[in-house]
Amino acid sequence: MTAADTVERPRGTAGPARLAFDLPPELEAAEPPEARGLTRDGVRMMVAHRASGTIEHSTFALLPAFLEPGDVVVVNTSGTIPAALDAVAADGTPLVVHLSTQLAADRWVVEVRRPAGRSTERWSGPRPPSPLSLGPDAFLSLEAPYGSAGRLWVARLRLPQRTLTWLAAHGRPIRYGYVERPWPLSAYQNVYATEPGSAEMPSAGRPFTTDVITRLVAKGVGFSPLVLHTGVASLEADELPYPEHVHVPVETADRVNAARARGHRVVAVGTTVVRALESAAGDDGTVGSFDGWTDLVVTPERGVRAVDGLLTGWHEPEASHLLLLEAVAGHELLVRSYEASLAEGYLWHEFGDVHLILP
């Protein structure tokens, strides 16, 4: 049996079912494509067409060839922050804290983790120690659990400087074990990022270059922004997404509505963009400006109303993101895409290849 033969949708499980498959370690991208001798836009891109059921293999640099004048590409311009912090408990125990979502000026949702080799592992056991020292005159105090999974906490952050200023000097990008060595924050930043705030990179947009964007605009494809600051997505704990703050500008809403009214396609870059646009859409799919928190979970049963296509990375087995992908692609095409990705050796995670789903 090949790796591709293992893709299936579990049955008889609680809640919405998700695709299950074996992900070989060699398909986990351990370094940016630039370190592999590629440009950002040189990563592979699978193109899956829902109407015909066909699958093509291409590269991201050829994205403009698959879009048409009048289509609109919507991107998340949230920038990645250096959200991983070394911490020390009162008894001297070394820990790592991942900042996730800012709730107020001094309060964040955080994840406390243990150092484990070159990476970290999820905290288990009794309540993590608190307060934690983050450095001179910098402290973090856990206040209450956040959500029901027992992984995240509401914490008060006390820093001697403005948060982003202090993080620039003392933080680093969140890195999981499949990435073999540290990379600078620039490796985790999309070229169009404008507003820092994401704990982890909205990585579907990483392959974009100024050249690709220029060729899209020259072809008549719209390019519109919104902001959703992404929180942490611990690989050891698959959970439904928790509330995140969304800002959909009126200009983006108007462009999306105009494109769809004229029969053109709206292509979301990343699951964060799908969540944001669908949170701003009414029952008829009309998108309005939106500035607030969303707890929307997009599933195949709920479907999508404002999004026609999706550019995304490759997601872990049984990840909740796969429910959103199925809402866009349909079950059969999604299964066939993941079978093909495994068989053809596509690379996973933020430094990997991408998947373009078109209607």
Side-chain angles (χ1 to χ4, degrees):
M1 178 178 289
T2 67
D5 293 325
T6 67
V7 179
E8 60 182 49
R9 183 176 181 177
R11 303 294 178 181
T13 55
R18 308 165 192 181
L19 294 183
F21 53 92
D22 295 324
L23 178 59
E26 62 269 20
L27 297 188
E28 298 186 286
E31 57 189 0
E34 298 93 311
R36 306 194 298 268
L38 300 174
T39 57
R40 279 190 177 225
D41 58 13
V43 298
R44 299 173 71 189
M45 180 176 70
M46 180 188 296
V47 185
H49 301 268
R50 185 166 184 174
S52 63
T54 56
I55 290 174
E56 300 178 68
H57 302 287
S58 186
T59 62
F60 184 80
L62 298 179
L63 174 67
F66 295 95
L67 300 180
E68 301 169 356
D71 289 344
V72 172
V73 172
V74 183
V75 299
N76 180 5
T77 57
S78 176
T80 312
I81 62 174
L85 306 171
D86 290 323
V88 179
D91 63 0
T93 301
L95 298 167
V96 173
V97 173
H98 289 175
L99 301 183
S100 181
T101 302
Q102 188 169 17
L103 301 175
D106 63 345
R107 279 174 172 77
W108 287 71
V109 177
V110 306
E111 181 181 19
V112 179
R113 297 175 67 85
R114 304 178 193 270
R118 68 187 182 207
S119 185
T120 60
E121 63 185 11
R122 185 183 179 186
W123 176 272
S124 60
R127 177 185 175 121
S130 179
L132 299 175
S133 173
L134 304 176
D137 301 318
F139 301 92
L140 182 143
S141 301
L142 303 181
E143 296 186 338
Y146 186 81
S148 59
R151 177 173 69 97
L152 303 175
W153 295 82
V154 176
R156 183 184 179 195
L157 190 62
R158 290 173 288 168
L159 302 176
Q161 296 171 288
R162 293 181 59 184
T163 301
L164 290 179
T165 301
W166 189 88
L167 288 177
H170 300 277
R172 61 184 179 276
I174 290 174
R175 176 169 67 103
Y176 294 111
Y178 55 82
V179 178
E180 296 176 351
R181 67 182 180 89
W183 292 93
L185 185 62
S186 59
Y188 294 87
Q189 213 67 271
N190 292 326
V191 297
Y192 48 70
T194 59
E195 183 178 330
S198 282
E200 297 182 15
M201 176 175 56
S203 56
R206 193 185 191 280
F208 277 94
T209 59
T210 54
D211 176 68
V212 169
I213 295 170
T214 299
R215 287 189 287 116
L216 285 170
V217 173
K219 188 173 181 177
V221 176
F223 201 82
S224 292
L226 54 76
V227 175
L228 185 151
H229 293 318
T230 64
V232 295
S234 174
L235 300 185
E236 307 91 348
D238 176 50
E239 303 157 6
L240 293 175
Y242 50 88
E244 294 169 310
H245 192 271
V246 172
H247 175 61
V248 179
V250 63
E251 295 83 2
T252 294
D254 289 346
R255 177 167 275 188
V256 166
N257 294 333
R260 301 194 83 220
R262 295 173 182 142
H264 300 299
R265 300 171 296 184
V266 174
V267 178
V269 177
T271 58
T272 60
V273 173
V274 176
R275 192 183 201 196
L277 286 178
E278 294 296 322
S279 297
D283 291 342
D284 63 352
T286 301
V287 176
S289 61
F290 185 89
D291 193 358
W293 291 84
T294 181
D295 59 2
L296 176 66
V297 177
V298 179
T299 65
E301 292 73 22
R302 190 263 186 195
V304 289
R305 300 164 185 169
V307 170
D308 302 300
L310 171 63
L311 178 75
T312 183
W314 296 98
H315 299 277
E316 290 75 19
E318 298 189 65
S320 60
H321 289 305
L322 293 168
L323 298 173
L324 185 152
L325 266 64
E326 186 172 339
V328 178
H331 174 66
E332 180 181 355
L333 184 60
L334 186 63
V335 169
R336 291 180 54 238
S337 293
Y338 270 74
E339 288 174 343
S341 67
L342 292 165
E344 296 291 331
Y346 279 73
L347 296 181
W348 256 249
H349 305 310
E350 65 268 31
F351 296 142
D353 299 314
V354 290
H355 184 197
L356 176 62
I357 303 168
L358 294 175

